[in-house]
Amino acid sequence: MSRITGWILVGLLLVTGLAGCVSSQSARPGRAAAPTADLIDLATRSGDWPRTEALLQNAVNRLDERCLHAAGFAVPTAPTVRLPAPGDENAAVGLPQRKTIGYGIATPAPTTAPPAAETYANTLSDLDRNRYRTAQFGSAAPRTTVTLIRHATVEVASGGCVGDARRALADDLRTWGRLTYIPDQLDSRLSARAVTDPRYLRALAAWRTCLQGRGFSYTSPEEARAALRKAYTSSSRTAAFKQREIAVAVADGECARTTHLPTVLLAIRRSLVTSLPSDELSLLRSLSTERRAALARARTIAGAEG
């Protein structure tokens, strides 16, 4: 894709007791200072991260568009990226959608329209389309390998307007890649640990009790989805299946909201940041400094647009 698009993320308010155990820790002799709120936001893609991440994504899009315009292409302006606000538990659960399509198994969620830039490219002649792709990604579409945590790597587009926009924002393409992918890497690891935490298991037990009170018996929301998906692929492609899917999805969502299951999970993820290895906390501090510099550039770009 020629633009960076927003991830579907959920940032929720912390359960006060769980949050307090993170923020109240102070440095002790011989021990590094506990991670600050901005480091926890970065490692879990929560707190203020969705707002600032949207600012970075919008800045890259604007730089990309300026570059393409300078190359002679009247590419349309990308829609403003807006990521879900922290604390919006109702949006995280999504009851209105559950009441119409359940989990989206029998009735998939409506597909979104292709990016405007892609639609624009399809209007061009073959020759101009090739010129457009070269301007966007560079001749031969070069890629750069970015090293992440634990020797993981990712390849990112590094040529043309895309590469120029990323370098202009982050000052270095590898820095852009690390700022983009390391938070996702850390968040995935923290999430895997969080679902085995006793605090989450207690909330999950309350969710199961709530669900049983509505006539359903599943061990977790994930198990409910998986069971229905298996039933659908087997033979249950009927109106009765869709009604059951919606009923289970709504009960699941209502019980998740009643027990604050997503909120508890996020609070645990945030509390686990303090237990990251010292080298990863040090990396987070470096990334946070680099991200602040990128955000300063993004604000300058946003100001120029105004």
Side-chain angles (χ1 to χ4, degrees):
M1 291 179 63
S2 61
R3 313 287 181 90
I4 296 178
T5 58
W7 292 292
I8 304 301
L9 304 170
V10 179
L12 299 173
L13 288 174
L14 298 177
V15 174
T16 303
L18 293 174
C21 70
V22 176
S23 60
S24 64
Q25 293 186 14
S26 57
R28 299 176 185 174
R31 178 179 175 180
T36 56
D38 65 318
L39 295 187
I40 294 172
D41 290 353
L42 183 57
T44 58
R45 301 183 300 173
S46 64
D48 199 42
W49 184 90
R51 181 188 64 82
T52 55
E53 182 63 20
L55 178 61
L56 293 175
Q57 292 185 30
N58 285 318
V60 168
N61 285 345
R62 298 295 88 78
L63 290 170
D64 183 31
E65 289 159 5
R66 290 181 193 175
C67 178
L68 289 170
H69 289 162
F73 297 100
V75 61
T77 300
T80 300
V81 173
R82 289 185 176 87
L83 302 178
D88 193 347
E89 192 170 60
N90 287 333
V93 172
L95 274 178
Q97 178 167 298
R98 289 171 184 258
K99 290 177 179 178
T100 57
I101 65 170
Y103 293 120
I105 298 172
T107 307
T111 57
T112 57
E118 181 180 323
T119 301
Y120 168 77
N122 290 334
T123 68
L124 301 175
S125 66
D126 290 345
L127 178 61
D128 285 341
R129 192 178 302 119
N130 288 334
R131 288 181 50 247
Y132 175 83
R133 289 171 179 162
T134 298
Q136 180 73 301
F137 298 107
S139 178
R143 302 181 73 81
T144 294
T145 300
V146 179
T147 301
L148 307 176
I149 294 176
R150 299 185 179 182
H151 306 294
T153 61
V154 64
E155 290 192 344
V156 299
S158 58
C161 291
V162 165
D164 290 346
R166 293 169 174 176
R167 277 185 287 267
L169 188 66
D171 195 42
D172 175 85
L173 194 64
R174 288 185 171 84
T175 298
W176 179 88
R178 284 149 49 96
L179 289 174
T180 301
Y181 293 103
I182 285 179
D184 177 70
Q185 191 182 19
L186 286 172
D187 194 14
S188 295
R189 283 172 45 202
L190 293 170
S191 296
R193 289 176 56 193
V195 295
T196 65
D197 188 282
R199 295 166 289 182
Y200 180 72
L201 295 179
R202 286 193 294 270
L204 189 60
W207 174 89
R208 284 197 294 268
T209 298
C210 174
L211 199 69
Q212 288 167 0
R214 287 165 168 76
F216 302 106
S217 181
Y218 295 101
T219 60
S220 68
E222 294 74 24
E223 198 266 339
R225 290 173 184 263
L228 286 166
R229 193 173 292 111
K230 182 178 180 180
Y232 182 71
T233 55
S234 299
S235 60
S236 299
R237 304 190 177 204
T238 64
F241 172 86
K242 180 176 180 180
Q243 291 175 354
R244 178 175 175 81
E245 178 194 351
I246 291 173
V248 172
V250 169
D252 167 12
E254 289 175 343
C255 289
R257 195 168 62 176
T258 298
T259 59
H260 301 292
L261 197 62
T263 303
V264 171
L265 185 60
L266 177 61
I268 297 169
R269 283 163 46 209
R270 288 179 66 90
S271 73
L272 291 175
V273 176
T274 59
S275 65
L276 288 173
S278 59
D279 60 330
E280 294 181 3
L281 288 174
S282 178
L283 172 60
L284 267 176
R285 292 184 177 95
S286 297
L287 285 177
S288 180
T289 298
E290 293 167 338
R291 196 168 189 270
R292 284 195 295 271
L295 284 168
R297 298 184 190 103
R299 292 186 183 99
T300 299
I301 294 166
E305 291 292 324

